[in-house]
Amino acid sequence: MQHSPLSYLNGNYIPFSELKLPVYDLGIVQGATVTERLRTFQQIPFLVAEHLARLCTSLAAIGLNASLADSLDAVIEKLVNANARLLAEGEELAVVLFVTAGHLIGDSNGLANTSTPSVCAYTTPLSNMKYQTGYKNGVHVIVSSIRQIPAECISPQIKMRSRLHWYLADQEVRSQDPDAMAILLDQSGQLTETSSGNLFVVKDGNLFTPPKEFTLLGISQDYVIKLGNEMGITTAHTALLPEDLLNCDEAFLSSSTYCILPVTRFNSQIIGNGQPGEVTRRMITRWEKCVGTKFTNPPDIRHL
């Protein structure tokens, strides 16, 4: 009988309880790790090809062979099939993938030799209940004093585990509101993203999201744009200042974990009427219809 979820490390399937990396792995020593996180709907992995394509982009950007991702679609399928049996009623799975630059072998004046990269995959239960308050009432987003890492330093198109700046940003804003999410500005004062998702603002029925050059290109962000096109809603990538978020009609975040999460407060001020807006609610309903299941339960959201 399976008691511990199944996981994957370097070609082997092992119990999650036995999953470990040595302290000299460069994912630990330097945070040299690229990653992806996807989820299931009705215990079926969602947008796998898109997540793996982005992982390949990240691998190439840090000088690792994209072929490291070649078998991960089969790994995802096996882990989901095995671990879905352990879920409680109403739960889904989040699937986490990561690849490190390998083990550190010697160190001379900062120049390190490395071994074969470490490739890992595991799952974790994803409860629909975690975000229900946010779906119903919206979340509070606060600008942190921590800035986005400039693209000249590290490309925002690399989905990585080197995220100390996000940790510091979230710690800072949660000292003001324990439930708030941090959003970072770039060096010119434009809005970028949160630690968990991409930003959308709604103005006059249209969607606006920050420029591609300054944020991670989100898989769920692309899915929102696709849904919007189907609904006759246009989306533009454009520079957004804090006042654009404060003065918009409504706003939301997109993420593979929570899909769409309304934003109803910004820097302690109310956005719109302080409730999830109509475009946001329609977009949530459309997403739920496409995946054939509800991840929200607000009484005012109905299927189109």
Side-chain angles (χ1 to χ4, degrees), residues 12 15 24 43 64 71 75 85 112 138 157 169 178 225 235-236 247 256 280 289 294 303:
N12 298 308
Y24 48 85
Q43 300 175 9
L64 296 181
S71 64
V75 171
R85 306 169 193 167
Q157 304 316 316
I225 294 171
T235 303
N247 297 320
S256 295
T280 304
K289 185 175 182 180
K294 290 176 70 71
H303 285 287

Side-chain angles (χ1 to χ4, degrees), residues 177-190:
D177 178 348
D179 298 319
M181 293 183 175
I183 189 165
L184 270 57
L185 303 179
D186 67 10
Q187 306 306 301
S188 64
Q190 296 178 21

Side-chain angles (χ1 to χ4, degrees), residues 178-222:
D179 298 319
M181 293 183 175
I183 189 165
L184 270 57
L185 303 179
D186 67 10
Q187 306 306 301
S188 64
Q190 296 178 21
L191 293 164
T192 62
E193 57 197 348
T194 74
S195 62
S196 64
N198 292 96
L199 172 69
F200 284 87
V201 302
V202 182
K203 191 71 174 178
D204 299 325
N206 298 311
L207 296 178
F208 300 90
T209 192
K212 298 178 180 181
E213 298 84 356
F214 306 124
T215 61
L216 178 70
L217 296 181
I219 305 302
S220 294
Q221 180 189 40
D222 281 346

